[in-house]
Amino acid sequence: MEKRKLSFWEIWNMSFGFLGIQFGFALQGGFMSRIFQTLGAEQDAIPLLWIAAPLTGLIVQPIIGYLSDNTWHPKFGRRKPYFLIGAILSSLALLFVPNSPTLWVATGLLWVLDASINISMEPFRALVADKLPNSQRSYGFVMQTLIIGIGTWIASNLPWIVNQFGVSNEAAAGVLPMSVKVAFAIGAFVFITSILFTIFTTKEYPPEDIAVFEEEKKQSNFFKDITLSVKEMPSTMKKLGLVQFFSWFAFFTMWSMATPALTEHVFKAPAPIEKNYDLSNANQAAAFNVENTKYQDAANLVGSSMGIYGLSSMAFALLLTFYTAMKKINRKYIHMLSLILGGIGFIIMFYATPETLLYSFILIGISWGSILSMPYAMLSSAVDPKKMGTMMGLFNMFIVIPQIIAALGAINFFYKLIGNETIHSMTLAGISLLLGGISTLLITDKNAITD
């Protein structure tokens, strides 16, 4: 079936649900380490506590991608049922996470939150390939990136914003400030409403031949089909996998370690360790509260600074949106340059001050904008359209495996080869992005490189 070109607003509507998805990811990425530290986690334990996120993605995304490929309902469509289920579960998880009473509860809720977000996210990637002709694929994925940038910027700033409106940023030991709890509640509301907007404004194409589709569905076997898809994985997908490995190792390092690294190195306000204070002693309790307030304020500023990378990715995506609407682009070289700029951004964090930290995140945002669009645009031009959801789910392996390796000790091992200060975890992230940029030179498929 020849797909018609969609208008700006049609592409905007089908992508708008990503605003909520990114609210969920930005709140998770920007503040889970803060939640863990507030509940007593030590710095070196934080990456391992984050392992829930990539593990759930490894399991959930291939399953959801496969199921959505084999779903069709005349009213609800193919991908939209998964949007809705994921949105409901994610919104509930966002309400509970900042109210976690203990560290193990917060860790468990991260599993639930990440699994729920993944249920919504991967079908959104497949939807772009479902509805757009190849000539608009880059445009569609860049539009998603634009909306993701908006969501990242706003959500990363939410605790700071609500604090400016008078919501307290102070809390007792082991308790999250009300500013964080309100921010997560807002995120839950935005998640469900933005997904509903896309569901009500977007129609999906039915299978070209319903009878053939139903027959293939009856003959489908998850394990057999997944195994066959892995065997048939195109070489372009494998090469992109190497690029994704270095890219997502870097960003997982940022999400898990930026708060402890930057509050300590840039803002000079590390998290106080509760066991080092005798809280039954009034003087020591007062001293702990002073240091804890400094840390919570610094953590808000780190979150706001991280929001800059969302703003930067949004600006980058906006420029690409205008350009790709008119001309063809070389996806490979755009991605390579973007990753190199992001790597430089991470490396110069060692020299950053509170005033100059934003320049690092501006460069990181350029790489983030490209990571969320160019690999998917290249992949969608290299795989069987009938297996788009499955292949997008399998492609997620190249995202979650580096994160699992990072969580299991690679971050701590490698950054300590550079230096013992936590800020060197950001240096490690920079080196990883540079390697990702160099790896893009392996991609040679002209159909994937140029739209």
Side-chain angles (χ1 to χ4, degrees), residues 92-347:
L92 291 173
L94 284 167
L95 291 174
F96 287 112
V97 165
N99 294 289
S100 301
T102 61
L103 188 58
W104 71 266
V105 171
T107 306
L109 284 171
L110 176 58
W111 284 79
V112 177
L113 175 61
D114 200 80
S116 303
I117 295 174
N118 275 295
I119 291 172
S120 286
M121 186 182 73
E122 205 54 42
F124 258 99
R125 297 291 189 196
L127 182 65
V128 169
D130 289 345
K131 288 187 65 70
L132 295 179
N134 188 51
S135 62
Q136 282 192 308
R137 295 272 174 85
S138 292
Y139 188 27
F141 286 114
V142 167
M143 181 71 77
Q144 283 190 351
T145 302
L146 174 62
I147 292 173
I148 287 169
I150 296 170
T152 300
W153 180 54
I154 298 173
S156 297
N157 279 284
L158 272 179
W160 178 84
I161 292 170
V162 298
N163 180 236
Q164 299 307 300
F165 279 95
V167 180
S168 176
N169 198 43
E170 297 181 12
V175 178
L176 270 295
M178 186 55 67
S179 60
V180 177
K181 295 178 180 180
V182 171
F184 272 69
I186 293 171
F189 174 78
V190 172
F191 202 123
I192 190 70
T193 53
S194 64
I195 292 288
L196 288 173
F197 179 86
T198 287
I199 288 174
F200 288 127
T201 60
T202 301
K203 292 183 179 180
E204 296 188 71
Y205 293 131
E208 292 185 32
D209 189 319
I210 293 291
V212 172
F213 174 80
E214 291 296 336
E215 185 61 32
E216 289 177 346
K217 182 178 176 181
K218 289 178 184 178
Q219 296 177 4
S220 64
N221 178 286
F222 174 76
F223 294 104
K224 179 181 176 182
D225 292 346
I226 288 291
T227 301
L228 183 62
S229 295
V230 171
K231 289 180 180 178
E232 294 177 348
M233 192 179 292
S235 62
T236 296
M237 186 171 172
K238 296 174 184 177
K239 293 171 183 176
L240 280 168
L242 181 63
V243 179
Q244 291 289 80
F245 182 94
F246 290 118
S247 302
W248 287 88
F249 185 98
F251 273 86
F252 182 84
T253 301
M254 182 187 75
W255 294 325
S256 60
M257 298 302 291
T259 296
L262 298 177
T263 52
E264 177 184 285
H265 185 79
V266 177
F267 293 94
K268 313 301 180 187
I273 300 172
E274 188 177 336
K275 66 183 181 181
N276 292 343
Y277 294 82
D278 179 6
L279 297 181
S280 63
N281 180 289
N283 290 332
Q284 290 206 30
F288 175 86
N289 288 334
V290 169
E291 295 303 312
N292 189 45
T293 299
K294 287 181 181 178
Y295 166 73
Q296 297 294 350
D297 288 340
N300 269 4
L301 293 173
V302 170
S304 296
S305 298
M306 288 180 71
I308 296 294
Y309 89 84
L311 192 63
S312 174
S313 69
M314 179 177 66
F316 178 71
L318 191 60
L319 289 173
L320 279 182
T321 300
F322 287 130
Y323 192 84
T324 54
M326 299 179 291
K327 296 184 179 181
K328 292 185 176 183
I329 59 171
N330 188 302
R331 297 161 175 164
K332 169 180 168 178
Y333 290 128
I334 285 176
H335 197 47
M336 179 176 69
L337 178 60
S338 300
L339 294 183
I340 290 172
L341 290 174
I344 293 170
F346 276 119
I347 290 169

Side-chain angles (χ1 to χ4, degrees), residues 14 34 43 50 71 84 88 152 167 195 303 360 370 439:
M14 66 183 274
R34 176 179 180 178
Q43 287 186 4
W50 268 86
T71 296
L84 183 59
I88 293 170
T152 300
V167 180
I195 292 288
S360 287
S370 188
S439 299

Side-chain angles (χ1 to χ4, degrees), residues 419-432:
N420 287 325
E421 293 181 75
T422 317
I423 190 62
H424 290 302
S425 60
M426 298 299 98
T427 307
L428 173 64
I431 294 170
S432 188

